[in-house]
Amino acid sequence: MRRKPGQLVPLERSVLEAAAALRGMGMAEAHGFLLARTIADQTGARNLTAYGSLYKALDRLERATLLTSRWEDPREAAEAGRPRRRFYRLTAAGDAALADVLAADPAVARDPQPERSPVS
Amino acid sequence: MLLPRRRTIARDHGAALVRGWVAFYTLGLPGALRMRRRAEIAADLAEETMDAVRQATVTSLTGRRVLRLLMGIHADLAWRLVDAPAMAATLRDQRPWVPPTRWTLMALAVAAIGTAGAFALVAGPLLDASAQSDPWLGWGPYGFAGGCVAALVAIGMAVPAPQRALTIAVPAAVLGTLAAPWFIGPWLLVIISVGARWYESRPTRSGDW
């Protein structure tokens, strides 16, 4: 079944909630694995979101301009001895979409706190 | 000698399986899109490994990775078949036009003159129905003329739209070669000149996308 334009599937909503929660903890940007870990922590799931589902959802949210993304500076990744991360950040449209969803379903609404300081 | 924990990670075939699957389903995508997905999954795998080390759950890492892979295959396929082509089209639109070098222009010009001359030699007898049947198969003159026209179209498109030109030039050359195998050299020149133009127009790096 084709979903309506602008409608969020549960995983996309979880991603936005995780991004908002991380921002509330001072992380304005988060990479894919951190979002998956946060979603699992928030929902109490034993397993992390599947690779395919997670990155497809991130792609769609970015194309819907609810998230923006950027690659980490390669020097930082090289210094840490790991692959470059891709960081995702909630946009104003993402905030508004999340607020709409939470307003429509207040029973499960969380309280995303305002941004403190960017941490990458 | 590896430490026990390190040895377990080194034997993690789950990561190799995930990388292999990602490499498979991203085949055929533009470089930037392909590299983005592969790099993002590679970063996820590295973070997952570090997280497992921190939480002392390395021993079950392979199983969890395989489960994450299997649970997301339907999404991977949907992304590859529906989302990625749209993103690839966006990328193609953003690709900058690369001007041709003078060597490519010369090769295209020689190919164009040769093809136009060959077409003129064949089209005349075809029009007045005096084409010799000796060296040709039954459909040969028509196939040769059709190949010439398609090759000329491809050569004309090679500068503004090299990718499309190549997709026309290859079947044109195959058709022409089947119709007149003794003329294979000029058909190869068409392929080489259009192929050279396509090659030089490719982006030199995949870019951060």
Side-chain angles (χ1 to χ4, degrees):
Chain A
M1 192 175 78
R2 195 172 286 273
R3 62 174 156 153
K4 295 174 189 171
Q7 189 180 14
L8 296 177
V9 298
L11 177 57
E12 292 168 349
R13 171 188 169 149
S14 297
V15 169
L16 293 182
E17 285 180 325
L22 287 167
R23 188 178 59 184
M25 292 187 285
M27 284 175 269
E29 296 176 311
H31 51 84
F33 178 80
L34 183 57
L35 289 167
R37 164 60 61 204
T38 306
I39 291 169
D41 290 345
Q42 286 180 338
T43 58
R46 279 187 61 205
N47 297 309
L48 299 179
T49 307
Y51 304 107
S53 307
L54 176 66
Y55 291 100
K56 180 167 171 263
L58 288 170
D59 263 354
R60 289 199 170 194
L61 289 170
E62 188 176 6
R63 279 190 291 150
T65 68
L66 304 183
L67 293 176
T68 58
S69 72
R70 70 170 179 92
W71 281 109
E72 180 182 29
D73 187 329
R75 285 167 299 187
E76 288 178 33
E79 283 170 15
R82 53 169 170 69
R84 287 167 79 189
R85 295 163 166 169
R86 190 167 186 93
F87 289 117
Y88 292 88
R89 175 192 285 263
L90 260 180
T91 62
D95 271 328
L98 182 58
D100 286 346
V101 170
L102 295 179
D105 190 4
V108 291
R110 295 187 178 90
D111 183 22
Q113 298 168 19
E115 184 175 325
R116 285 180 203 150
S117 61
V119 175
S120 55
Chain B
M1 186 178 140
L2 294 170
L3 296 172
R5 188 185 70 195
R6 176 89 177 141
R7 194 161 46 198
T8 309
I9 293 172
R11 285 178 184 169
D12 177 19
H13 300 300
L17 193 64
V18 174
R19 284 198 192 91
W21 167 245
V22 176
F24 171 71
Y25 77 73
T26 53
L27 280 176
L29 291 176
L33 190 53
R34 186 173 66 239
M35 296 317 292
R36 172 180 171 168
R37 176 54 65 105
R38 291 181 184 181
E40 206 162 18
I41 297 291
D44 189 304
L45 291 170
E47 300 293 338
E48 194 171 26
T49 302
M50 287 189 279
D51 187 63
V53 170
R54 276 194 300 269
Q55 301 197 19
T57 57
V58 172
T59 50
S60 60
L61 184 57
T62 297
R64 282 183 281 131
R65 274 183 174 153
V66 172
L67 188 63
R68 277 187 85 189
L69 170 65
L70 293 176
M71 297 295 287
I73 282 180
H74 70 286
D76 284 328
L77 292 177
W79 179 83
R80 180 62 182 84
L81 297 173
V82 179
D83 298 344
M87 296 159 83
T90 308
L91 268 182
R92 275 193 288 273
D93 291 343
Q94 291 172 350
R95 186 181 298 175
W97 182 76
V98 179
T101 62
R102 61 180 168 175
W103 296 110
T104 314
L105 278 178
M106 282 173 58
L108 287 169
V110 170
I113 291 168
T115 308
F119 177 72
L121 286 175
V122 172
L126 269 183
L127 288 175
D128 59 16
S130 64
Q132 298 282 329
S133 61
D134 290 348
W136 303 94
L137 300 170
W139 57 276
Y142 303 98
F144 186 83
C148 285
V149 171
L152 285 170
V153 170
I155 292 168
M157 290 174 66
V159 172
Q163 174 84 46
R164 283 183 193 154
L166 191 61
T167 59
I168 295 173
V170 171
V174 169
L175 177 66
T177 304
L178 288 174
W182 63 88
F183 205 66
I184 191 167
W187 291 118
L188 280 178
L189 179 60
V190 170
I191 293 286
I192 290 169
S193 59
V194 176
R197 170 62 189 143
W198 169 78
Y199 185 79
E200 74 182 8
S201 70
R202 294 163 63 212
T204 52
R205 55 191 291 274
S206 59
D208 277 357
W209 192 69

